[in-house]
Amino acid sequence: MIGKTISHYKIIEQLGSGGMGVVYKAEDTKLKRTVALKFLPPQLSADPQAKERFVHEAQAASALDHPNICTIHEIGETKPAPGEPGEGQLFIVMACYEGMTLKEKLAATPPYPPLSEGGSKGGLSISEAIDITIQIAEGLQRAHEAGIVHRDIKPANIIITKRGEVKILDFGLAKLAGQAQLTKDASTLGTVVYMSPEQLSGKEVDQRTDIWSLGVVLFEMLSGQVPFIGDYEQAIIYSILNDSPELSPEMPADLKQIIATCLEKDPAKRYPQVNEIMKSLMGTKVEKNTILWKKNRLFKTAIPMFLTLIIILSAVYFLFIRSATEKVSITQKFWKNSIAVLPFADMSPQKDQEYFCDGIAEEILNKLSHIEGLKVIARTSSFQFKGQQTDIAEIGDKLDVSTILEGSVRKAGNTLRITAQLINVSDRSHLWSNTFDRELQDILAVQDEIAFSIVDHLRGKLLTDEKKTMGKRYTQNLEAYQDFLRGRFRLNKLTIEDMKKSVEYFNSAIEKDPDFALAYCGLAHAYDNLSYSGEMSTSMRWQQIESKVRKAIKIDDKLSEAYMILGDAQFLYHWNWDEAERHFRRSLDLNPGNAISHNWYAQYLSAMGRHQQAIEEIEMAHELDPLSLAINLKLYMIYLYAGRDDLREQVLLESNNLFPNQPWIMLQNGYHSMVKRNYTEAARQIKQIPESSIGPIQKFALARALAFSGKREEALSILEKVLTDPKFIEISETRVAKVYIALGDYDQAFTWLERGFENRDSDLVYLAVENTYDRIHNDPRYHELLMKMRFPE
């Protein structure tokens, strides 16, 4: 089979096999991606019931769209060789994840310290076991809502990706509620040690059989063995039907209770739904050194740490007992360590090396962002403390990190003195510090040495791939590198003049090193920002962006930034939804710590109506870049489209505290009032925004608020002034359409929406989810436009 091509899938290697299939790694030659192909074993190919069960697996799994369930791309069937009798083999094309099964992880992980020290006897820390269990429960909850019971939950059917994401595999034993059994023995399929009493007794099963199996898996992760043991199958069955599991006296009492409830013999005494398990786990009290949840910043205080922890846990528990079915919107990411890299201070005599100091800090930050288990705060947030005498504890609190790297640079001619110190936020102690006296040409080596030293002190030994990625050099040309740093420094200032200057520097870097992939990405970013200032048309913008980023990928096909920008082009301009997602995922696979990639992918997911996934991605972006204005704005937007009013109110309050009197936040306040139908207040709030701060967007918003409040002539007057203003090359057609929707003039609204379609207005990507369009949902023209844009159903 290895080396053969099935349909358009080239088989690379065998990944594994089981009773219901053999799995191969393959290349999708059309979409140029790696996939997994699962084949029905040849000896079962002639069994109609086995083939029906195999098809059922694909149908059941493909109907589920959830980040914790394996993605199914398609189902196919091979053709028998010419002249050979019989039928071909059925196969399922699935996503191929880099990682290991939970079974492999349990076998490979060395023992942790005792439970009393935050570990477990089974090799996983308590926090890690809880994290995995919650993610499995999330996936099962989605399946159960669709009427699907997995019936074979076990470590071998759980993949843990390199990003720590859990994926549930193999819905071959799934059973739709009310569906007749496929075979006489269907109720006893699966691995015995994880099967519920009702499965073993041949009784009808429901979602509570998955809850039993999940309890067995949690028990195994914490204790290193399954709860019911026997030398042969019948002995195991007897134990499951009659014995009670022995729980370690060291195990926290609330965890014992959760497992005991899952493993009740009588299904009626178990948790009725898996979201009840999630609630219980999130309220679990664990030992120190195990972090259960992201802090809610609304509850931060200056009281001692142990009181803060009590408040946080109480707040989280309150969120979950308030509603049994409410979806949690706090990032489910467990970081082993966290760091913020502050901009290095310029100690040069002329104080003219700011770009160089910022560049060194940002390069170190970017290297660290590739390290698994290390939360690295993005530049946007960490650089907000530049030039300020802010206390380390306050910085750590605002950025939610445990360590901070700060340093200084003294440059005289070609001689450098770089100092760096890694500081523990809790007690301000220095975990590591060093001074480097080097020549300018050694700057790349110094950055590597600092980054390697930090990882060594925070986590220990680097993985081979991580060391290779961190030590990667994108150019050996020192002059090109300095021009690149100058370009990025100017780009981050975000003024039109500085962005134009950044283009000059990036082009200069490319002239000196035509293979400098990062410089091409810098150019793409610069063109993107310039287009929003009205300096460049939409078509020219995307033409420039794509040409530069594709050049970058041609030079280096493992550049996260390049795939991120390409995904955005496919999303906002080409409206090629599948390609956009493929590029966004590729970007995050290459660098899970890329906050911008999480942000842009979240916007894509929101536009596609995949709201819970969008929330998870935007909250991850917010975790990595909490002080970013752009991410806070998108956090509000995604909560709005998802209908999460509680979270929307919370983020609005936080944003106003973080960015008082910021024009975009003031605009958001106006939108918020419009959503609440307080149009007079919305108009008042929007009028307070300085006219020159956000361009015509302020005028469009004001016209909408006035239109909604019945001031038709005033709204039309403002709209006419904007449309006739010659200083703007292009106007967003969708913003014009929204004013006409507010006026109730739907014919004009659709005229402008059609123009937006023809001109590829990027705002049109939210047509299917934005609440502004609720008023035209019943118009056939609205559904025609959705179909033309090929939105997924």
Side-chain angles (χ1 to χ4, degrees), residues 360-406:
I360 290 175
E362 191 167 355
E363 286 295 288
I364 294 170
L365 182 157
N366 290 337
K367 290 177 182 293
L368 293 174
S369 69
H370 291 83
I371 301 303
E372 183 178 353
L374 179 62
K375 180 175 81 170
V376 183
I377 298 300
R379 179 198 187 281
T380 315
S381 292
S382 60
F383 275 43
Q384 296 224 5
F385 301 95
K386 183 177 180 178
Q388 301 179 17
Q389 299 299 317
T390 310
D391 184 76
I392 289 294
E394 183 180 346
I395 296 174
D397 183 59
K398 286 185 176 180
L399 299 181
D400 193 14
V401 293
S402 58
T403 57
I404 288 175
L405 178 73
E406 63 177 15

Side-chain angles (χ1 to χ4, degrees), residues 112-141:
Y112 262 70
L115 283 163
S116 58
E117 297 179 18
S120 73
K121 289 185 175 181
L124 301 184
S125 66
I126 294 177
S127 61
E128 187 173 14
I130 291 175
D131 178 29
I132 292 171
T133 305
I134 288 173
Q135 291 192 60
I136 297 171
E138 289 272 14
L140 288 176
Q141 177 70 15

